[in-house]
């Protein structure tokens, strides 16, 4: 049987390998590995405005699921805010990912958002973000040092998809300095032990789940398998 196709949104960043030093479209291999282990075929989606909604709908028509990967901050103009000094934006990703996400939601395609991807789900649903958590919390526990994941407990709402996947509580690995403030049309179903939002979902859709941590880096295939199971 043909494996389902799952698109993974990608970065466009300066990169070096071998003799080359150039911009590259790339994605951490862990996302690809998790999608494969979940039983699907990964398709990398570079930042692209897709020429508008019609092209996005055509792309989504060829996919069976969508993973919104982590990465840089979402432009605060997207949710009516002024940029914080620490906010680092990638307008090309915002434009492309919001366009393809809108088409995916219109088609009721299963969607999993990871870290930035969860925040993108909130913004697409009319929500807002906290731009710099240390201003709110007084510490950097969710992003303790460059390239170092914070580890903490999270709790999940009884009866939610998140609780069905991860149990009532779980230890999670975080690397983010922004967080969901208002979830818009989505439902908050997970919280860190300091009440930072850790999971969002849309119970009215086939599968729309966002997680603020990085299950792919922990080798946790469960959210990716749930995405594929919903196809």
């Amino acid at each position: 049987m043909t494996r389902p196709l799952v698109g993974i949104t990608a970065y466009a960043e300066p990169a070096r390998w071998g003799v080359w030093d150039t911009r590259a479209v790339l994605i951490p291999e862990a996302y690809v590995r998790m999608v494969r282990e979940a039983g699907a075929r990964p398709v990398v989606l570079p930042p692209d405005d897709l020429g508008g909604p019609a092209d996005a709908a055509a792309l989504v028509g060829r996919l069976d699921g969508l993973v919104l990967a982590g990465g840089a901050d979402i432009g605060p103009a997207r949710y009516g805010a002024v940029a914080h000094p620490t906010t680092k934006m990638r307008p090309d990703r915002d434009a492309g990912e919001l366009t393809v996400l809108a088409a995916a939601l219109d088609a009721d395609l299963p969607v999993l958002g990871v870290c930035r991807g969860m925040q993108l789900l909130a913004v697409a649903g009319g929500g807002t973000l906290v731009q710099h958590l240390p201003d709110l919390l007084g510490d950097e526990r969710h992003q303790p040092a460059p390239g170092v994941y914070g580890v903490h407990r999270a709790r999940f709402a009884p009866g939610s998809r998140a609780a069905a996947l991860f149990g009532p509580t779980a230890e999670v690995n975080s690397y983010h300095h922004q967080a969901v403030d208002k979830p818009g049309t989505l439902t908050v179903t997970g919280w860190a032990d300091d009440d930072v939002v850790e999971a969002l979902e849309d119970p009215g859709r086939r599968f729309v789940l966002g997680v603020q941590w990085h299950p792919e880096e922990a080798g946790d295939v469960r959210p990716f398998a749930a995405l594929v199971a919903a196809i």
Side-chain angles (χ1 to χ4, degrees), residues 112-180:
L112 171 65
V114 176
C115 196
R116 166 194 160 89
M118 185 186 87
Q119 296 170 12
L120 200 77
L121 285 170
V123 171
T128 60
L129 305 180
V130 176
Q131 287 192 60
H132 194 54
L133 276 174
D135 292 346
L136 179 67
L137 302 177
D139 61 51
E140 299 181 349
R141 64 194 299 263
H142 291 272
Q143 193 181 67
V148 176
Y149 288 91
V151 178
H152 57 82
R153 300 296 297 181
R155 67 185 189 280
F156 304 103
S160 66
R161 187 181 293 275
L165 286 174
F166 307 112
T169 66
E171 187 174 85
V172 299
N173 57 332
S174 292
Y175 191 78
H176 60 102
H177 78 111
Q178 299 197 339
V180 170

Side-chain angles (χ1 to χ4, degrees), residues 56-101:
L59 170 63
V60 164
R62 299 186 178 191
L63 298 176
D64 300 300
L66 176 66
V67 174
L68 302 168
D73 303 324
I74 298 164
R78 298 280 182 178
Y79 49 93
V82 176
H84 188 280
T86 63
T87 297
K88 298 179 180 178
M89 297 168 276
R90 295 294 186 276
D92 56 341
R93 286 195 67 181
D94 294 351
E97 291 176 12
L98 285 167
T99 301
V100 75
L101 174 57

Side-chain angles (χ1 to χ4, degrees), residues 57 60-61 101-110 205-206:
V60 164
L101 174 57
L105 294 175
D106 284 347
D108 199 22
L109 202 73
R205 293 185 181 273
R206 181 162 41 142

